[in-house]
């Protein structure tokens, strides 16, 4: 196989047969393809698209690039959740320990920041000592012991996603439905989950703008997952505003801890409870949505999920003291406020601009080699519908050396619209596909 021929074929808009996708992935993982050719293929796919059969073929080729885990006798139903990516989306940090506290076994393999969106691995790795490069044996031991493990793609598990994910992040080629489908489902199938809840984000802060394109993505994810034997439900959830008040890695861990303590933002709590309830239904732990929601709410309010998060941190080498002392998490060296110029209400806050601002502050990466600043990001003192007073800060930028402060401030100023009357509330859960 000549890799250049594949790039030419995708450039023309041809569909690649499964054997060509598997040859391409084998060559990439073997290190036989220069980055510029992989990037060119990704860009051709981004513009020409992939049909459903190609997405299935790429998913299978990516799974086959590494081990496929199977957990015998797990302590509960093997249920996982994955988000298509959003701004301030720290749901997994609350949901994974909560679902485990409710009786699921959660073998969660996550990703890093992608484009303007944050990644669970980058957030977890702000916890001093926390390791995400778990082997199959470590995953299995941890699932048995505490019912939850959270790890990364490695050279053993979906190495193809590890390579493509980092290149997509740095080449503006994230937003293609087939690439998103293969990236998400290769991880979930390879990790050994038997059921999956998808949090498909809709709105400006998601990767696909329109509701129609997002629904199509959800249906493609559902049919591909079910074709691979994974019981799957998808919720379309609001990403037309950042989720919660914190955007940036350690800042989001703090907010997740607050949510686990019952002090978190309502939107984060609600979306987390709904998604956890779907996991309990898929896993057969509860039969009705009401009972599933009740169980999830009870375990969250009783502090069981917080204790599970502490166990998870300790099991993965992290400093569990951060649970009671979040000040031990890394913090940015500097802060800068955005101040309201008049009294009013925050009518709208474009999440894409907030995500881009946080990347400019170095909470995300512009190049594959860039190091993120774990303490960097944005804290919103006002979210959509809240009142602001002239002279008061409505957002604070957290940053250190290397931050592009001017760009971040300009993006944030343009992201916010203020007005005289509170806007009507918007639903957080937009559609359910089961
Ligand atoms: N999450 C992933 O793992 N991959 C994507 O492409 C998007 C979100």
């Amino acid at each position: 196989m000549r890799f250049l021929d594949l790039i030419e074929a995708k450039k023309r808009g041809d569909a690649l047969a499964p054997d060509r996708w598997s040859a391409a992935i084998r060559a990439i993982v073997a290190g036989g393809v220069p980055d510029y050719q992989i990037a060119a293929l990704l860009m051709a796919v981004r513009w020409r698209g992939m049909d459903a059969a190609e997405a299935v073929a790429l998913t299978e080729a990516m799974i086959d690039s590494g081990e496929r885990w199977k957990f015998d006798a797990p302590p509960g139903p093997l249920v996982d959740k994955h988000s298509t990516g959003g701004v301030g989306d720290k749901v997994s940090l609350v949901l994974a320990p909560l679902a485990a506290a409710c009786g699921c076994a959660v073998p969660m393999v996550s990703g890093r920041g992608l484009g303007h969106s944050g990644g669970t691995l980058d957030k977890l790795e702000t916890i001093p000592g926390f390791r995400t490069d778990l082997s199959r044996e470590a995953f299995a031991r941890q699932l048995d012991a505490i019912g939850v493990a959270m790890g990364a793609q490695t050279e053993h598990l979906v190495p193809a996603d590890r390579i493509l994910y980092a290149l997509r992040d740095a080449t503006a080629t994230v937003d293609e439905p087939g690439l998103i489908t293969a990236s998400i489902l290769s991880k979930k199938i390879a990790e050994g989950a038997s059921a999956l809840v998808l949090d498909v984000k809709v709105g400006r802060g998601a990767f696909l703008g329109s509701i129609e394109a997002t629904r199509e993505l959800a249906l493609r994810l559902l049919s591909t997952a079910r074709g691979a034997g994974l019981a799957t439900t998808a919720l379309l959830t609001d990403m037309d505003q950042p989720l919660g008040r914190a955007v940036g890695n350690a800042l989001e861990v703090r907010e997740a801890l607050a949510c686990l303590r019952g002090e978190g933002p309502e939107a984060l709590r609600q979306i987390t409870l709904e998604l956890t309830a779907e996991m309990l239904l898929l896993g057969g732990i509860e039969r009705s949505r009401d009972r599933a929601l009740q169980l999830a709410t009870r375990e969250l309010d009783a502090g069981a999920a917080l204790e599970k998060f502490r166990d998870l941190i300790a099991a993965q080498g992290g400093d569990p003291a951060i649970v009671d002392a979040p000040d031990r998490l890394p913090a940015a060296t500097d802060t800068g406020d955005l101040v309201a110029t008049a009294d009013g209400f925050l009518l709208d806050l474009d999440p894409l601009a907030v995500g881009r601002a946080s990347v400019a502050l170095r909470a995300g990466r512009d190049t594959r080699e860039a190091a993120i600043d774990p303490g960097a990001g944005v804290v919103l003192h006002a979210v959509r519908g809240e009142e602001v007073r002239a002279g008061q800060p409505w957002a604070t930028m957290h940053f250190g050396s290397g931050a592009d402060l001017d760009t971040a401030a300009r993006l944030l100023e343009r992201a916010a619209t203020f007005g005289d009357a509170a806007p009507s509330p918007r639903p957080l859960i937009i559609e359910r596909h089961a």
Side-chain angles (χ1 to χ4, degrees), residues 180-430:
I180 296 175
T181 300
S183 168
I184 293 178
L185 294 182
S186 60
K187 289 192 278 290
K188 303 290 116 169
I189 296 165
E191 74 182 21
S194 43
L196 174 65
V197 176
L198 290 161
D199 181 5
V200 183
K201 300 289 188 194
V202 195
R204 290 164 295 173
F207 288 118
L208 304 183
S210 71
I211 177 89
E212 291 79 14
T214 306
R215 192 178 292 126
E216 235 173 79
L217 171 66
L219 296 178
R220 182 181 278 205
L221 281 161
L222 282 172
S223 68
T224 311
R226 287 175 185 155
L230 211 55
T232 310
T233 302
L235 294 187
L236 267 57
T237 69
D238 181 48
M239 187 33 69
D240 219 36
Q241 56 189 324
L243 181 55
R245 293 177 185 275
V247 180
N249 299 295
L251 296 168
E252 293 191 42
V253 175
R254 283 168 184 256
E255 189 166 65
L257 284 168
C259 187
L260 285 161
R261 278 195 302 268
E263 299 157 8
E266 192 47 37
L268 173 62
R269 177 181 163 91
Q270 240 192 66
I271 289 189
T272 304
L273 287 171
E274 292 282 353
L275 290 164
T276 307
E278 295 291 347
M279 292 172 76
L280 301 181
L281 287 174
L282 271 185
I285 288 178
E286 289 292 359
R287 292 247 173 100
S288 78
R289 179 180 164 277
D290 284 354
R291 288 184 60 92
L293 261 181
Q294 273 167 24
L295 174 59
T297 307
R298 199 168 62 232
E299 294 301 308
L300 184 60
D301 291 344
L306 182 70
E307 288 317 307
K308 198 58 96 174
F309 193 49
R310 193 194 303 274
D311 294 345
L312 173 84
I313 294 171
Q316 294 191 211
D319 175 9
I322 64 115
V323 169
D324 303 312
D327 286 347
R328 294 170 77 114
L329 288 164
T333 49
D334 292 295
T335 59
D337 289 336
L338 288 121
V339 173
T341 51
D343 291 354
F345 290 88
L346 184 58
L347 297 186
D348 184 47
L349 188 59
D350 178 357
L352 178 58
V354 177
R356 286 185 175 154
S358 75
V359 174
L361 295 171
R362 292 191 44 229
R365 302 170 185 80
D366 276 336
T367 63
R368 189 175 52 182
E369 292 72 25
I372 58 167
D373 177 348
V378 180
V379 172
L380 303 166
H381 306 297
V383 297
R384 185 176 184 275
E386 288 183 348
E387 223 171 335
V388 293
R389 294 256 162 242
Q392 298 287 312
W394 63 269
T396 300
M397 298 178 289
H398 292 242
F399 58 94
S401 67
D404 182 350
L405 202 53
D406 291 345
T407 299
R410 202 170 48 247
L411 281 162
L412 287 170
E413 268 155 18
R414 287 196 200 140
T417 312
F418 297 95
D420 291 337
S424 48
R426 258 203 317 256
L428 291 171
I429 312 291
I430 292 155

Side-chain angles (χ1 to χ4, degrees), residues 82-85 114 161 165 168 174 179-180 183-184 187 207:
H82 204 87
S83 156
T84 55
L114 198 54
D161 187 53
Y165 197 98
R168 287 167 64 215
V174 174
L179 294 177
I180 296 175
S183 168
I184 293 178
K187 289 192 278 290
F207 288 118

